[in-house]
Amino acid sequence: MNKKEFLGRLSGLIKDIPEEEKKDILFDYEEHFRIGLEKGRKEEEIAASLGDPKVIAKQSRASCILKEAEKTTSVNNIMRAIFAAVGLGFFNLVIILGPAIGLIGILVALFASVFAITVSGVAVLFGTLIGPVFAWNVYIPFAAVVSIPLGIGLTTLGLLSLIGTFYLAKFFYKLCISYLKMNLQIITNRRNRE
Amino acid sequence: MNIQFKKGVLELCVLSMLERQVCYGYELVNEISKSISISEGTIYPLLRRLKSEELVTTYLQESQEGPPRKYYKLTELGRKKEEELKKEWFTFVKDVNNFLKGSEKNE
């Protein structure tokens, strides 16, 4: 492999990371080739000692994607980070994917039920208040004395739980990021004795 | 030697070399690969990580031979980290040595 082939292959393997970052990475290897050539080494020799572009790409992608996931919170970003880490061989896909999907499932279910509580509260409240005015055929099996506080209570409960669930989701997200980060730092940072 | 093991000590080697002197990438790679056999390409992702963790900073400087080179310099945080990792490393080696000597006696 010569310089052009090496850089071309590397560039192709990291094409999904931000342009700025990609340029930066390629710059380092270009410089490495340039100085190596100045020292009288051959392109093929330098490429061989740099190693497989695939390995380099995997490492660069993993930390870059993780950085992105840390900056912008999204399910997509965290899934990409998990897959990138799996690609590095830190853990088995089955081991990490099961709990990850389970966790996302629980969060989605929580959001859905909390949302339903809020909606039902709003419905009860407005059904009681506005229903008669517009002559809607709303059936509420309570007297207004009960259904108005019930509506307000349900809405408040729903909104508060929504906020709580949101923070819970954020907490899990951060936990996931620090777990991935810890794995990227590997052995030396693992204290054998506190 | 186990690859994960090497990757782990690589961070310490890079920090320790930068503790002694400011280096450009090629120099670092060249020096370290003299003592430890690694695929040299893996040092650059490591350097990028160290930079994002603010353990090192980089700057460009002209060289006599050609275009400017990217130099790496240890930050104060990096200096502390280097010291800490080195201490951990020596304790670890001592413990393992003691253990190995112990198991020899038992044989």
Side-chain angles (χ1 to χ4, degrees):
Chain A
M1 215 180 336
N2 61 27
K3 175 180 168 181
K4 208 173 153 204
E5 283 167 329
F6 183 93
L7 293 175
R9 200 170 292 183
L10 182 60
S11 165
L13 288 164
I14 54 172
K15 58 173 181 278
D16 59 338
I17 68 174
E19 195 59 33
E20 201 53 36
E21 199 97 12
K22 196 176 114 181
K23 255 202 258 167
D24 229 24
I25 291 170
L26 290 173
F27 175 87
D28 285 342
Y29 291 103
E30 269 165 41
E31 190 191 81
H32 189 89
F33 270 105
R34 204 184 63 221
I35 298 172
L37 289 171
E38 278 166 20
K39 310 250 174 202
R41 290 170 77 194
K42 282 202 193 74
E43 283 187 9
E44 279 77 10
E45 193 191 321
I46 300 169
S49 59
L50 277 174
D52 191 349
K54 246 190 237 158
V55 177
I56 296 168
K58 268 186 192 172
Q59 284 181 347
S60 307
R61 279 188 70 234
S63 44
C64 183
I65 288 169
L66 188 58
K67 228 194 282 169
E68 252 178 273
E70 206 178 6
K71 252 195 325 213
T72 346
T73 310
S74 86
V75 174
N76 185 32
N77 277 350
I78 198 80
M79 286 316 272
R80 276 181 72 203
I82 289 172
F83 276 107
V86 167
L88 273 177
F90 286 138
F91 23 64
N92 193 310
L93 185 63
V94 183
I95 292 173
I96 194 75
L97 207 58
I101 289 176
L103 208 63
I104 292 170
I106 290 170
L107 286 173
V108 167
L110 262 174
F111 267 117
S113 41
V114 164
F115 184 69
I117 292 173
T118 317
V119 167
S120 71
V122 171
V124 167
L125 190 62
F126 279 82
T128 316
L129 289 177
I130 311 173
V133 180
F134 291 96
W136 287 341
N137 195 6
V138 187
Y139 173 69
I140 296 167
F142 310 105
V145 191
V146 182
S147 69
I148 289 174
L150 183 72
I152 294 174
L154 279 175
T155 311
T156 321
L157 178 73
L159 286 178
L160 284 178
S161 322
L162 200 63
I163 294 169
T165 314
F166 178 71
Y167 276 105
L168 190 71
K170 226 170 132 185
F171 170 74
F172 277 131
Y173 193 82
K174 280 211 180 121
L175 203 70
C176 201
I177 295 243
S178 23
Y179 178 65
L180 288 175
K181 258 188 157 172
M182 195 182 76
N183 275 292
L184 272 181
Q185 289 174 6
I186 342 176
I187 276 172
T188 38
N189 294 359
R190 219 178 272 166
R191 286 154 196 269
N192 37 54
R193 202 176 273 174
E194 281 302 336
Chain B
M1 198 177 172
N2 184 300
I3 182 92
Q4 289 293 54
F5 215 73
K6 265 188 205 170
K7 272 196 217 157
V9 289
L10 200 55
E11 177 175 343
L12 174 57
C13 292
V14 168
L15 289 175
S16 147
M17 178 148 177
L18 289 175
E19 207 266 327
R20 275 172 264 163
Q21 70 194 82
V22 171
C23 295
Y24 53 91
Y26 186 90
E27 213 178 352
L28 251 177
V29 172
N30 208 32
E31 275 306 311
I32 289 176
S33 64
K34 269 186 209 159
S35 317
I36 310 172
S37 82
I38 37 145
S39 0
E40 300 177 358
T42 53
I43 293 187
Y44 288 103
L46 173 67
L47 284 168
R48 296 178 60 74
R49 183 165 67 70
L50 296 178
K51 193 185 168 189
S52 77
E53 286 174 12
E54 290 170 0
L55 299 175
V56 304
T57 52
T58 60
Y59 61 93
L60 288 175
Q61 198 178 42
E62 304 291 330
S63 67
Q64 299 103 318
E65 289 121 349
R69 289 172 183 168
K70 196 194 221 174
Y71 279 82
Y72 296 83
K73 186 171 181 282
L74 217 54
T75 62
E76 205 36 56
L77 197 67
R79 227 167 271 283
K80 268 188 210 135
K81 183 87 181 176
E82 193 266 345
E83 227 168 89
E84 190 189 315
L85 285 182
K86 201 152 65 181
K87 226 164 70 192
E88 270 177 35
W89 169 256
F90 282 125
T91 323
F92 179 66
V93 168
K94 203 182 79 201
D95 290 351
V96 173
N97 281 344
N98 283 343
F99 179 80
L100 294 181
K101 273 180 213 144
S103 50
E104 247 167 46
K105 270 180 214 153
N106 289 341
E107 269 168 26

